Amino acid sequence: MAKDRAAFMGPRLRRLRREMGLTQAVMAEDLGVSPSYIALMERNQRPMTAEMLLKLAQTYQLDVASLAGERGEEFAARLDGVMRDPLFTDLELTAMDVEDVSRSYPAVAEAVIRLYTAYRDGQLALADRSGEGHDAPDPVAEARRFLSARRNSFPAIDDHAERIAAEIGGADNFAAYFKEKHKLGVRRLPPDIMMGAVRRLDRHRGEIALDETLDRASQAFQLALQIAYLDMRETLDAALAEGGFTSENSERLARRALASYAAGAVMMPYRAFVKAAERRQYDMEALSRQFGASFEQIAHRLTTLQQPGQEGVPFFFIRVDAAGNVSKRLDGAGFPFARHGGSCPLWSLHQAFTRPREIITEWVELPDGEKYFTIVRTVTAGGGAWGAPRIERAVALGCAAKHAHRLIYTQGQDLKSVKSTPIGVACRLCHRIECAARAEPPIGRQVLPDDYRRTIAPFGFSDR
């Protein structure tokens, strides 16, 4: 039995050949055999003879003992370790079963090992984020899950906001609305008097104070946001009641997100906005001018157009800073965002900072073949006066390829032959093994040594 085990070394031979960067034809020429013979040995359909083992060692200056020894047993041992997890105790797998799978179906065994590694990595990540038990929930992740589960669409908020917008009659009438309905004035004050606030409700003076350095779109949004808090409280509470939040921070973050949603719905009433978006083929700059909203506010609103019977294009949205930190993401398109960390560096989202205020369009393709069309641009927060803090971020709006024909940005393109940029969700989740931009190895893959060969990509990976 031991002799048979040593004779059939297919997976070991294949891994060695790939580690050295050789094709079957090149190895066959080096060893004086046919490429088909190498293929048969790699598939364990021909044994590795003592003569061939010696020739292999001499040709590539390898240690015979390391080739014929127990290194091949390491793979079976890895699979055996996986199968000892309590998760599999009811399967009653024997050592012989595990060995048979690892030797006869190495690719299947490797798939099991990779999946188990990913599972364990996820369990450890959850443990790290949870602290001791569940006493330390992640409020940002919980608020994001609340929005994502509803595809960032809240029809009840849209309907209420639409009624209020009709009552107001336009952004220029916000001041009159506050005066008539709440007996509040609207006042614009210098930043030093605002003391770090951009909006402040002052009941004592009977006014809403705004930082005078805000641009018109930001002033309108802040006033609409105050309306949401004053007049839509019950509607927001009803939406939040479905969340089942585990912490006060989680609920507060979700409440802020819903209030911002409501403010956007007041500025851009649903039916008028979706009609304009379709008529203008989702031209974001044209919509910005029509509704007096910023590019980012338009992008936010475009992710919400999912009311049954009045659906727009389903979009996702993401915002990052120059360091790659994700400060906001909204998903109405089913895009597989990474739950933690940054996104793919190959995406133009991260090159947008070199082309400020320019709209950049790009087709991207995920490892599973799913394609998306994305619209990227930088946006600025703050500023408005000399010396005022200013923050540059990049935002991306995207939709699935099947909806891209409805956008003005794709007109004139042959949508059947467009070239896509291959991206991943995140390096740890992307198995594009030849990516030169990779920051870390993917979950479940074994990193190759670089004793024989160094790849252009930062890491080389074994096929098993």
Side-chain angles (χ1 to χ4, degrees):
M1 185 70 174
K3 182 178 179 180
D4 290 340
R5 289 179 181 175
F8 290 92
M9 308 171 45
R12 242 179 302 168
L13 177 63
R14 182 171 61 249
R15 182 169 62 180
L16 174 67
R17 176 177 60 77
R18 293 184 176 180
E19 285 178 1
M20 293 190 294
L22 304 177
T23 63
Q24 290 180 340
V26 170
M27 176 173 274
E29 183 178 352
D30 290 346
L31 298 177
V33 297
S34 68
S36 61
Y37 189 74
I38 297 294
L40 289 171
M41 285 195 297
E42 289 188 351
R43 292 199 297 268
N44 275 346
Q45 293 176 346
R46 290 289 186 276
M48 174 73 71
T49 65
E51 180 183 0
M52 182 59 66
L53 185 62
L54 184 60
K55 185 180 291 188
L56 186 68
Q58 290 174 342
T59 301
Y60 299 114
Q61 299 182 353
L62 303 172
D63 180 20
V64 176
S66 67
L67 288 172
E70 295 302 312
R71 290 180 61 192
E73 306 300 324
E74 181 182 340
F75 186 57
R78 288 173 58 206
L79 184 61
D80 184 66
V82 168
M83 293 303 166
R84 291 179 185 276
D85 192 287
L87 186 66
F88 305 113
T89 52
D90 62 327
L91 299 180
E92 299 180 353
L93 292 168
T94 67
M96 186 174 293
D97 292 331
V98 173
E99 184 172 352
D100 285 345
V101 170
S102 64
R103 291 188 176 281
S104 302
Y105 306 99
V108 173
E110 175 65 12
V112 172
I113 291 171
R114 289 185 194 177
L115 287 171
Y116 179 80
T117 305
Y119 159 78
R120 288 293 299 155
D121 190 273
Q123 293 297 303
L124 291 172
L126 285 173
D128 289 343
R129 293 196 296 273
S130 298
E132 297 181 4
H134 296 283
D135 296 333
D138 183 342
V140 173
E142 193 168 6
R144 284 176 174 172
R145 282 195 296 270
F146 170 74
L147 297 175
S148 180
R150 291 152 183 81
R151 301 293 288 272
N152 198 39
S153 177
F154 298 87
I157 294 178
D158 283 318
D159 291 344
H160 193 170
E162 199 163 25
R163 294 194 299 272
I164 291 176
E167 187 178 348
I168 294 171
D172 292 337
N173 298 328
F174 278 143
Y177 175 86
F178 280 113
K179 193 69 175 176
E180 181 179 342
K181 186 157 188 177
H182 297 286
K183 303 298 186 288
L184 293 170
V186 176
R187 191 178 179 195
R188 293 161 179 82
L189 298 172
D192 57 332
I193 295 179
M194 292 297 292
M195 300 178 63
V198 294
R199 169 183 50 84
R200 185 177 65 236
L201 174 60
D202 190 336
R203 290 287 190 184
H204 178 70
R205 290 186 171 85
E207 66 182 21
I208 298 169
L210 295 175
D211 185 332
E212 66 181 11
T213 63
L214 294 176
D215 58 34
R216 286 182 61 84
S218 297
Q219 288 186 27
F221 180 80
Q222 289 301 324
L223 291 175
L225 188 60
Q226 192 64 71
I227 289 172
Y229 284 126
L230 289 173
D231 298 335
M232 301 180 67
R233 185 178 300 275
E234 291 183 1
T235 305
L236 298 181
D237 287 344
L240 285 168
E242 302 175 4
F245 301 101
T246 60
S247 73
E248 190 174 357
N249 274 344
S250 300
E251 185 169 355
R252 285 182 177 176
L253 288 174
R255 185 180 188 82
R256 289 178 55 162
L258 288 186
S260 294
Y261 182 108
V266 169
M267 290 178 64
M268 298 163 271
Y270 190 94
R271 284 181 292 181
F273 187 78
V274 73
K275 185 182 296 184
E278 287 288 342
R279 185 175 66 252
R280 295 182 178 276
Q281 295 178 285
Y282 296 87
D283 185 330
M284 297 178 68
E285 291 173 301
L287 290 170
S288 175
R289 295 197 177 193
Q290 179 175 343
F291 288 91
S294 70
F295 185 89
E296 184 173 348
Q297 289 166 358
I298 293 294
H300 282 196
R301 189 59 172 145
L302 285 173
T303 68
T304 69
L305 306 183
Q306 298 303 307
Q307 281 198 31
Q310 302 180 74
E311 298 94 339
V313 169
F315 285 104
F316 69 84
F317 170 92
I318 186 171
R319 185 180 71 189
V320 302
D321 62 22
N325 299 305
V326 178
S327 54
K328 184 173 291 186
R329 64 170 184 244
L330 303 166
D331 187 19
F335 188 78
F337 288 116
R339 297 302 181 194
H340 300 275
S343 55
C344 181
L346 298 179
W347 193 3
S348 60
L349 173 65
H350 300 285
Q351 283 82 55
F353 295 99
T354 65
R355 299 161 64 179
R357 314 294 287 182
E358 178 183 344
I359 290 180
I360 305 168
T361 64
E362 182 179 30
W363 290 88
V364 297
E365 182 175 346
L366 295 176
D368 63 2
E370 190 73 21
K371 292 184 180 180
Y372 291 85
F373 182 77
T374 63
I375 306 158
V376 172
R377 207 196 81 169
T378 59
V379 296
T380 304
W386 177 256
R390 187 187 304 269
I391 302 170
E392 294 290 332
R393 299 186 179 98
V395 300
L397 190 74
C399 70
K402 64 182 178 182
H403 298 293
H405 68 279
R406 297 165 64 182
L407 311 184
I408 196 169
Y409 305 100
T410 64
Q411 302 309 301
Q413 295 185 21
D414 181 359
L415 302 188
K416 295 182 179 179
S417 60
V418 291
K419 186 177 181 180
S420 302
T421 300
I423 69 168
V425 177
C427 287
R428 292 285 281 164
L429 302 175
C430 178
H431 287 266
R432 297 186 192 274
I433 61 176
E434 297 180 355
C435 178
R438 179 175 293 284
E440 52 187 348
I443 295 171
R445 296 302 293 264
Q446 291 294 109
V447 178
L448 289 176
D450 57 3
D451 301 44
Y452 305 111
R453 176 173 174 257
R454 179 62 184 266
T455 61
I456 295 174
F459 307 97
F461 304 104
S462 172
D463 65 316
R464 46 159 290 201

